[in-house]
Amino acid sequence: MAALTDSTDTFRFREGAGRICLDFVRTLRLRGTAEAVDELADPAALAAWVRQLGPCAPDAPAPVPSTELLGWARELREAVLALLLAARTPEGLAHCPPEARQLVNQAAEQSVPVPVLEASGSLGWRADDPVAATLALVARDALDLAASPLSDRVRECASDSCAALFLDSSRPGTRRWCSMDACGNQAKKAAFRERAAS
């Protein structure tokens, strides 16, 4: 099963975690459970994620990612997760597995999308290979977040059926849900039904 699709059968991925690296980690839903769903099911799904969440224009010409690049993207996703989880431990980034650190560092060395001022006066982003360039951007974003004080604001959604990571940008730093519209609302409804039943 891939990402949710809309009526035109196009991929739709969750976004809004607060950082592109966190949105990328979210592409494996229900991680570690029997119901886990990899939204990056094939190269087309990876390209669709980049079109939706990457900085390059969705209609920018791009080569179709190879199955090798897809496999590497999945490995990068797990390395980014390991890096971010290590940043949240008392030992900090020194606790990050060496292979994860090496993979994220290697990905961050690659070319990223570059800003271009369009004739209209708007700022656009371009890359010869938007997929590979966006993955490099994900890696750089993960390194930046993990090594910053904001790593203390990376939270896990309190919903038992989600557990996605998100950046808590609330002033008190007490946000519990990755999204109030989805998980937060479901939790409120469940609590209401529980109170009503008792």
Side-chain angles (χ1 to χ4, degrees), residues 137-155:
L137 190 66
V138 165
R140 291 184 187 193
D141 184 54
L143 291 170
D144 179 66
L145 177 58
S148 79
L150 286 176
S151 64
D152 288 341
R153 288 290 193 112
V154 174
R155 307 273 189 260

Side-chain angles (χ1 to χ4, degrees), residues 45-56:
L46 174 59
W49 185 88
V50 168
R51 279 194 304 276
Q52 181 183 325
L53 282 91
C56 297

Side-chain angles (χ1 to χ4, degrees), residues 24-127:
F24 188 61
V25 168
R26 283 177 159 197
T27 60
L28 182 56
R29 291 185 186 224
L30 304 174
R31 179 185 307 274
T33 72
E35 294 80 30
V37 175
D38 193 340
E39 295 181 340
L40 302 181
D42 53 37
L46 174 59
W49 185 88
V50 168
R51 279 194 304 276
Q52 181 183 325
L53 282 91
C56 297
D59 57 352
V64 175
S66 65
T67 54
E68 290 79 14
L69 183 58
L70 173 63
W72 184 80
R74 289 174 176 164
E75 289 177 20
L76 175 62
R77 178 180 60 195
E78 298 313 299
V80 165
L81 176 64
L83 178 77
L84 295 172
L85 293 179
R88 297 171 61 204
T89 65
E91 300 88 356
L93 291 175
H95 188 62
C96 182
E99 59 278 2
R101 183 181 68 247
Q102 182 178 6
L103 181 57
V104 177
N105 282 337
Q106 287 174 343
E109 291 174 359
Q110 307 307 309
S111 298
V112 294
V114 296
V116 177
L117 187 61
E118 306 289 358
S120 64
S122 63
L123 186 66
W125 297 87
R126 296 209 182 128

